Amino acid sequence: MMKQAVSVLLLLGIILEITGVAAIQLRFMPDPPTLNTYGTHRMNKSDNLDLTCRGRQRLLWSTPPTSTRLSTSDCSGSGLFCLTLTITNATVNETGQYQCYYKDLKVEDGKTAAGVYVFVHDSKVPFVPSEKEYEVVFIREGERVVIPCRGSVENLNVTLNTNYPIKEIHPDGKDSVWDPKKGFILPTHLISYAGVVSCQTRIKNETFKSPLYIVAVVGYKIYDLTLTPVHQRLSVGERLVLSCTAHTELNVGIEFNWTHSGGALNLGSGFHTVSHKKKLWDSLELSNTLIVENVTVDHSGDFTCTASSGQMEKSASAYLTVFGGCTENILLHNVILIKKSQEMDQGGRNSLV
């Protein structure tokens, strides 16, 4: 009975401790920032807009990368922090997501941040310009891709045009859709061959095109990884060369990392690597060679090479034995002579038979 009572008390203590920690965390978590407008706001070209954010801690605004006609002003008072973002003489470039968040906390929408999406309508510029003249869109096999041809006008009939070969893709509302806040969304296999794409729409018998997007197919599959030689014996002062080779699908970027006996190698302090890339008919051969010019006894142990493509990772290991003195070298030499002598004797017996 006494043991049961002690167990109950211990369990109650643990529950109270957990509850106390949770209560402290909740007590110091401020209410989310509040805005004077939420969701989606629509405005016309050349109009002005004030977005006011209030909260319990210091505030910051994040804005669309293309927006330039912006200014902020402090409006704090009545025990609240306050920051107003003003859009002046708006253009299509100001179209996008505006988010207010607490400066010193992790950004979490609805908890430490609040946002509003702004459309600046301009029927003469229905697509939001890109930051660069040509924007690269990376796609991976089996995934959906977003071509970021966002709109300044929402209700548009948009098609995606491919240049090589020339083809027009219409949204079907299911697999392929155009979202004015994101762009044209579709399966990768529909444009993996395209090279260059753009969005297109017609307004009052006039055709408008979005910026051009270069489509680059990126692979991730690592077929195999080898590390050679698997077991090597060297004497102090000799040169170590370990070659780590990965065979991958085409258009794969690989990051190689090395460890020694479980610890990360500090390249540059006696270690250096040489990389090589070879394109085969339907795959890539990527290698990373680790070189140590003068090995010591401390270099003995496991060397592990890890190849990562971001979505896939493989590792391979090799073992190095370093003999550090004259006695060890003599013993090794004698072992090798004995093995050779045994092999010769065995061969002679076999021939007599």
Side-chain angles (χ1 to χ4, degrees), residues 262-305:
L265 280 183
N266 184 16
L267 296 177
S269 58
F271 301 93
H272 69 275
T273 58
V274 177
S275 296
H276 181 71
K277 178 179 179 179
K278 182 180 179 182
K279 187 174 182 180
L280 307 177
W281 178 67
D282 60 349
S283 62
L284 287 179
E285 183 180 277
L286 304 168
S287 64
N288 190 255
T289 301
L290 177 70
I291 301 172
V292 183
E293 295 297 341
N294 297 289
V295 297
T296 67
V297 175
D298 291 336
H299 291 133
S300 294
D302 284 305
F303 284 84
T304 300
C305 169

Short mmCIF file of all heavy atoms in Angstrom, two decimals, residues 262-305:
data_model
loop_
_atom_site.label_atom_id
_atom_site.label_comp_id
_atom_site.label_asym_id
_atom_site.label_seq_id
_atom_site.Cartn_x
_atom_site.Cartn_y
_atom_site.Cartn_z
N GLY A 262 34.34 8.17 -36.71
CA GLY A 262 33.12 8.78 -36.17
C GLY A 262 33.14 10.28 -36.05
O GLY A 262 32.11 10.90 -35.84
N GLY A 263 34.31 10.90 -36.19
CA GLY A 263 34.41 12.37 -36.07
C GLY A 263 34.63 13.03 -37.41
O GLY A 263 35.25 12.46 -38.31
N ALA A 264 34.11 14.25 -37.57
CA ALA A 264 34.23 14.97 -38.84
C ALA A 264 35.70 15.31 -39.12
O ALA A 264 36.47 15.66 -38.22
CB ALA A 264 33.41 16.24 -38.79
N LEU A 265 36.09 15.19 -40.39
CA LEU A 265 37.45 15.53 -40.80
C LEU A 265 37.57 17.02 -40.97
O LEU A 265 36.70 17.68 -41.56
CB LEU A 265 37.79 14.85 -42.13
CG LEU A 265 38.21 13.39 -42.09
CD1 LEU A 265 38.58 12.92 -43.49
CD2 LEU A 265 39.39 13.17 -41.16
N ASN A 266 38.66 17.57 -40.46
CA ASN A 266 38.95 18.99 -40.63
C ASN A 266 39.83 19.16 -41.86
O ASN A 266 41.05 19.11 -41.79
CB ASN A 266 39.64 19.55 -39.38
CG ASN A 266 39.87 21.04 -39.48
OD1 ASN A 266 39.27 21.72 -40.32
ND2 ASN A 266 40.72 21.57 -38.61
N LEU A 267 39.16 19.34 -43.03
CA LEU A 267 39.92 19.46 -44.27
C LEU A 267 40.82 20.69 -44.23
O LEU A 267 40.42 21.75 -43.78
CB LEU A 267 38.96 19.54 -45.47
CG LEU A 267 38.10 18.29 -45.72
CD1 LEU A 267 37.15 18.53 -46.87
CD2 LEU A 267 38.98 17.09 -46.00
N GLY A 268 42.02 20.52 -44.72
CA GLY A 268 42.98 21.61 -44.70
C GLY A 268 44.08 21.39 -43.67
O GLY A 268 45.17 21.92 -43.79
N SER A 269 43.78 20.59 -42.62
CA SER A 269 44.79 20.30 -41.61
C SER A 269 45.37 18.91 -41.87
O SER A 269 45.15 17.96 -41.14
CB SER A 269 44.17 20.36 -40.22
OG SER A 269 43.08 19.46 -40.12
N GLY A 270 46.10 18.81 -42.97
CA GLY A 270 46.71 17.53 -43.35
C GLY A 270 45.88 16.73 -44.31
O GLY A 270 46.36 15.77 -44.91
N PHE A 271 44.61 17.09 -44.46
CA PHE A 271 43.71 16.40 -45.39
C PHE A 271 43.34 17.36 -46.53
O PHE A 271 43.13 18.55 -46.30
CB PHE A 271 42.41 15.97 -44.70
CG PHE A 271 42.61 15.05 -43.53
CD1 PHE A 271 42.72 15.55 -42.24
CD2 PHE A 271 42.66 13.68 -43.71
CE1 PHE A 271 42.87 14.70 -41.16
CE2 PHE A 271 42.81 12.82 -42.64
CZ PHE A 271 42.92 13.34 -41.36
N HIS A 272 43.20 16.83 -47.74
CA HIS A 272 42.60 17.61 -48.81
C HIS A 272 41.88 16.67 -49.77
O HIS A 272 42.16 15.46 -49.81
CB HIS A 272 43.62 18.49 -49.55
CG HIS A 272 44.62 17.75 -50.36
ND1 HIS A 272 45.79 17.24 -49.83
CD2 HIS A 272 44.63 17.44 -51.69
CE1 HIS A 272 46.48 16.65 -50.78
NE2 HIS A 272 45.81 16.75 -51.93
N THR A 273 40.92 17.21 -50.51
CA THR A 273 40.12 16.39 -51.42
C THR A 273 40.19 16.94 -52.84
O THR A 273 40.42 18.13 -53.06
CB THR A 273 38.64 16.34 -50.98
OG1 THR A 273 38.11 17.67 -50.94
CG2 THR A 273 38.50 15.69 -49.63
N VAL A 274 39.98 16.04 -53.79
CA VAL A 274 39.93 16.39 -55.21
C VAL A 274 38.65 15.81 -55.79
O VAL A 274 38.38 14.61 -55.61
CB VAL A 274 41.16 15.85 -55.97
CG1 VAL A 274 41.05 16.17 -57.46
CG2 VAL A 274 42.45 16.42 -55.40
N SER A 275 37.85 16.63 -56.46
CA SER A 275 36.58 16.17 -57.03
C SER A 275 36.69 15.99 -58.53
O SER A 275 37.46 16.69 -59.21
CB SER A 275 35.47 17.16 -56.71
OG SER A 275 35.24 17.23 -55.31
N HIS A 276 35.89 15.07 -59.04
CA HIS A 276 35.88 14.80 -60.48
C HIS A 276 34.47 14.41 -60.91
O HIS A 276 33.74 13.75 -60.17
CB HIS A 276 36.85 13.66 -60.82
CG HIS A 276 36.91 13.35 -62.27
ND1 HIS A 276 37.51 14.19 -63.19
CD2 HIS A 276 36.44 12.29 -62.98
CE1 HIS A 276 37.40 13.65 -64.39
NE2 HIS A 276 36.75 12.50 -64.29
N LYS A 277 34.08 14.85 -62.11
CA LYS A 277 32.75 14.55 -62.66
C LYS A 277 32.91 14.00 -64.06
O LYS A 277 33.61 14.55 -64.89
CB LYS A 277 31.90 15.83 -62.68
CG LYS A 277 30.51 15.65 -63.26
CD LYS A 277 29.75 16.97 -63.21
CE LYS A 277 28.36 16.85 -63.80
NZ LYS A 277 27.62 18.15 -63.73
N LYS A 278 32.21 12.88 -64.31
CA LYS A 278 32.26 12.25 -65.63
C LYS A 278 30.85 11.89 -66.07
O LYS A 278 30.11 11.23 -65.34
CB LYS A 278 33.13 10.98 -65.57
CG LYS A 278 33.27 10.26 -66.90
CD LYS A 278 34.15 9.03 -66.74
CE LYS A 278 34.31 8.26 -68.03
NZ LYS A 278 35.13 7.03 -67.84
N LYS A 279 30.46 12.37 -67.24
CA LYS A 279 29.13 12.08 -67.76
C LYS A 279 29.16 10.81 -68.59
O LYS A 279 29.89 10.70 -69.57
CB LYS A 279 28.61 13.26 -68.60
CG LYS A 279 27.16 13.09 -69.03
CD LYS A 279 26.64 14.33 -69.73
CE LYS A 279 25.18 14.17 -70.12
NZ LYS A 279 24.63 15.37 -70.80
N LEU A 280 28.35 9.84 -68.17
CA LEU A 280 28.21 8.59 -68.91
C LEU A 280 26.99 8.70 -69.83
O LEU A 280 26.36 9.74 -69.92
CB LEU A 280 28.08 7.42 -67.95
CG LEU A 280 29.20 7.31 -66.89
CD1 LEU A 280 28.94 6.16 -65.95
CD2 LEU A 280 30.56 7.18 -67.56
N TRP A 281 26.63 7.61 -70.49
CA TRP A 281 25.54 7.68 -71.46
C TRP A 281 24.21 8.06 -70.82
O TRP A 281 23.51 8.95 -71.28
CB TRP A 281 25.40 6.33 -72.18
CG TRP A 281 24.27 6.30 -73.16
CD1 TRP A 281 24.18 7.01 -74.32
CD2 TRP A 281 23.06 5.56 -73.04
NE1 TRP A 281 22.98 6.75 -74.95
CE2 TRP A 281 22.27 5.86 -74.19
CE3 TRP A 281 22.55 4.67 -72.10
CZ2 TRP A 281 21.01 5.30 -74.40
CZ3 TRP A 281 21.31 4.11 -72.32
CH2 TRP A 281 20.55 4.43 -73.46
N ASP A 282 23.86 7.43 -69.70
CA ASP A 282 22.58 7.70 -69.05
C ASP A 282 22.73 7.95 -67.56
O ASP A 282 21.78 7.81 -66.79
CB ASP A 282 21.61 6.55 -69.28
CG ASP A 282 22.13 5.24 -68.70
OD1 ASP A 282 23.33 5.20 -68.33
OD2 ASP A 282 21.37 4.26 -68.64
N SER A 283 23.93 8.32 -67.13
CA SER A 283 24.16 8.56 -65.70
C SER A 283 25.39 9.44 -65.52
O SER A 283 26.07 9.80 -66.48
CB SER A 283 24.35 7.22 -64.96
OG SER A 283 25.49 6.55 -65.45
N LEU A 284 25.66 9.77 -64.26
CA LEU A 284 26.84 10.55 -63.91
C LEU A 284 27.73 9.73 -62.98
O LEU A 284 27.25 8.94 -62.17
CB LEU A 284 26.45 11.84 -63.18
CG LEU A 284 25.82 12.97 -63.99
CD1 LEU A 284 25.48 14.13 -63.07
CD2 LEU A 284 26.74 13.44 -65.10
N GLU A 285 29.04 9.94 -63.12
CA GLU A 285 30.01 9.38 -62.18
C GLU A 285 30.67 10.54 -61.47
O GLU A 285 31.41 11.31 -62.06
CB GLU A 285 31.04 8.53 -62.91
CG GLU A 285 32.04 7.85 -61.98
CD GLU A 285 33.05 7.02 -62.73
OE1 GLU A 285 32.73 5.87 -63.07
OE2 GLU A 285 34.16 7.54 -63.01
N LEU A 286 30.37 10.68 -60.19
CA LEU A 286 30.91 11.77 -59.38
C LEU A 286 31.83 11.19 -58.32
O LEU A 286 31.45 10.26 -57.61
CB LEU A 286 29.78 12.55 -58.71
CG LEU A 286 28.71 13.12 -59.65
CD1 LEU A 286 27.51 13.60 -58.86
CD2 LEU A 286 29.28 14.25 -60.47
N SER A 287 33.02 11.72 -58.23
CA SER A 287 33.98 11.17 -57.27
C SER A 287 34.61 12.28 -56.43
O SER A 287 34.70 13.43 -56.85
CB SER A 287 35.09 10.39 -57.99
OG SER A 287 35.86 11.24 -58.81
N ASN A 288 35.02 11.88 -55.24
CA ASN A 288 35.69 12.78 -54.31
C ASN A 288 36.83 11.99 -53.68
O ASN A 288 36.58 11.00 -52.98
CB ASN A 288 34.70 13.28 -53.26
CG ASN A 288 35.28 14.41 -52.42
OD1 ASN A 288 35.64 14.21 -51.26
ND2 ASN A 288 35.34 15.60 -52.97
N THR A 289 38.06 12.39 -53.95
CA THR A 289 39.23 11.65 -53.49
C THR A 289 39.87 12.34 -52.30
O THR A 289 40.20 13.53 -52.37
CB THR A 289 40.27 11.51 -54.62
OG1 THR A 289 39.67 10.84 -55.73
CG2 THR A 289 41.47 10.72 -54.15
N LEU A 290 40.01 11.60 -51.21
CA LEU A 290 40.64 12.11 -49.99
C LEU A 290 42.13 11.75 -50.01
O LEU A 290 42.49 10.60 -50.26
CB LEU A 290 39.98 11.50 -48.76
CG LEU A 290 40.59 11.89 -47.41
CD1 LEU A 290 40.32 13.35 -47.09
CD2 LEU A 290 40.05 10.99 -46.30
N ILE A 291 42.98 12.75 -49.77
CA ILE A 291 44.43 12.53 -49.82
C ILE A 291 45.07 13.02 -48.52
O ILE A 291 44.78 14.13 -48.05
CB ILE A 291 45.06 13.29 -51.02
CG1 ILE A 291 44.44 12.79 -52.33
CG2 ILE A 291 46.58 13.11 -51.03
CD1 ILE A 291 44.84 13.60 -53.54
N VAL A 292 45.92 12.17 -47.94
CA VAL A 292 46.75 12.54 -46.80
C VAL A 292 48.20 12.29 -47.22
O VAL A 292 48.58 11.17 -47.52
CB VAL A 292 46.40 11.71 -45.55
CG1 VAL A 292 47.23 12.19 -44.36
CG2 VAL A 292 44.92 11.80 -45.24
N GLU A 293 49.00 13.34 -47.24
CA GLU A 293 50.36 13.21 -47.78
C GLU A 293 51.28 12.40 -46.89
O GLU A 293 52.07 11.59 -47.36
CB GLU A 293 50.96 14.62 -48.01
CG GLU A 293 50.26 15.43 -49.08
CD GLU A 293 50.34 14.78 -50.46
OE1 GLU A 293 51.22 13.91 -50.69
OE2 GLU A 293 49.51 15.14 -51.32
N ASN A 294 51.20 12.60 -45.58
CA ASN A 294 52.09 11.89 -44.65
C ASN A 294 51.26 11.32 -43.49
O ASN A 294 50.91 12.05 -42.56
CB ASN A 294 53.16 12.83 -44.10
CG ASN A 294 54.06 13.37 -45.19
OD1 ASN A 294 54.89 12.65 -45.75
ND2 ASN A 294 53.90 14.65 -45.51
N VAL A 295 50.94 10.04 -43.57
CA VAL A 295 50.09 9.46 -42.53
C VAL A 295 50.87 9.24 -41.25
O VAL A 295 52.10 9.06 -41.26
CB VAL A 295 49.46 8.12 -43.00
CG1 VAL A 295 48.55 8.34 -44.18
CG2 VAL A 295 50.53 7.08 -43.29
N THR A 296 50.13 9.25 -40.15
CA THR A 296 50.69 8.93 -38.84
C THR A 296 49.87 7.80 -38.24
O THR A 296 48.82 7.41 -38.78
CB THR A 296 50.64 10.15 -37.89
OG1 THR A 296 49.27 10.46 -37.61
CG2 THR A 296 51.30 11.37 -38.54
N VAL A 297 50.32 7.31 -37.09
CA VAL A 297 49.59 6.24 -36.42
C VAL A 297 48.17 6.69 -36.06
O VAL A 297 47.23 5.91 -36.05
CB VAL A 297 50.35 5.78 -35.15
CG1 VAL A 297 49.54 4.75 -34.38
CG2 VAL A 297 51.71 5.20 -35.53
N ASP A 298 48.03 8.00 -35.78
CA ASP A 298 46.71 8.54 -35.40
C ASP A 298 45.70 8.44 -36.54
O ASP A 298 44.49 8.55 -36.30
CB ASP A 298 46.84 10.01 -34.98
CG ASP A 298 47.59 10.16 -33.67
OD1 ASP A 298 47.60 9.18 -32.89
OD2 ASP A 298 48.17 11.24 -33.42
N HIS A 299 46.16 8.26 -37.77
CA HIS A 299 45.25 8.14 -38.90
C HIS A 299 44.64 6.75 -39.03
O HIS A 299 43.76 6.53 -39.86
CB HIS A 299 45.98 8.49 -40.21
CG HIS A 299 46.33 9.94 -40.31
ND1 HIS A 299 47.58 10.38 -40.69
CD2 HIS A 299 45.60 11.05 -40.06
CE1 HIS A 299 47.60 11.71 -40.68
NE2 HIS A 299 46.40 12.13 -40.31
N SER A 300 45.10 5.81 -38.22
CA SER A 300 44.51 4.47 -38.26
C SER A 300 43.04 4.54 -37.87
O SER A 300 42.62 5.38 -37.07
CB SER A 300 45.25 3.54 -37.30
OG SER A 300 46.58 3.34 -37.72
N GLY A 301 42.24 3.65 -38.47
CA GLY A 301 40.83 3.59 -38.13
C GLY A 301 39.92 3.66 -39.34
O GLY A 301 40.38 3.54 -40.49
N ASP A 302 38.65 3.83 -39.08
CA ASP A 302 37.63 3.86 -40.14
C ASP A 302 37.56 5.24 -40.78
O ASP A 302 37.52 6.26 -40.09
CB ASP A 302 36.25 3.52 -39.57
CG ASP A 302 36.09 2.02 -39.32
OD1 ASP A 302 36.31 1.25 -40.27
OD2 ASP A 302 35.73 1.64 -38.19
N PHE A 303 37.50 5.26 -42.11
CA PHE A 303 37.18 6.46 -42.88
C PHE A 303 35.84 6.22 -43.56
O PHE A 303 35.65 5.21 -44.24
CB PHE A 303 38.26 6.73 -43.93
CG PHE A 303 39.52 7.31 -43.36
CD1 PHE A 303 40.50 6.49 -42.81
CD2 PHE A 303 39.75 8.68 -43.36
CE1 PHE A 303 41.66 7.00 -42.28
CE2 PHE A 303 40.91 9.22 -42.83
CZ PHE A 303 41.87 8.38 -42.29
N THR A 304 34.92 7.14 -43.38
CA THR A 304 33.59 7.01 -43.98
C THR A 304 33.30 8.18 -44.90
O THR A 304 33.50 9.34 -44.51
CB THR A 304 32.49 6.92 -42.90
OG1 THR A 304 32.73 5.77 -42.08
CG2 THR A 304 31.11 6.79 -43.53
N CYS A 305 32.85 7.85 -46.09
CA CYS A 305 32.46 8.87 -47.07
C CYS A 305 30.93 8.83 -47.21
O CYS A 305 30.35 7.77 -47.40
CB CYS A 305 33.12 8.58 -48.42
SG CYS A 305 32.47 9.59 -49.79
#
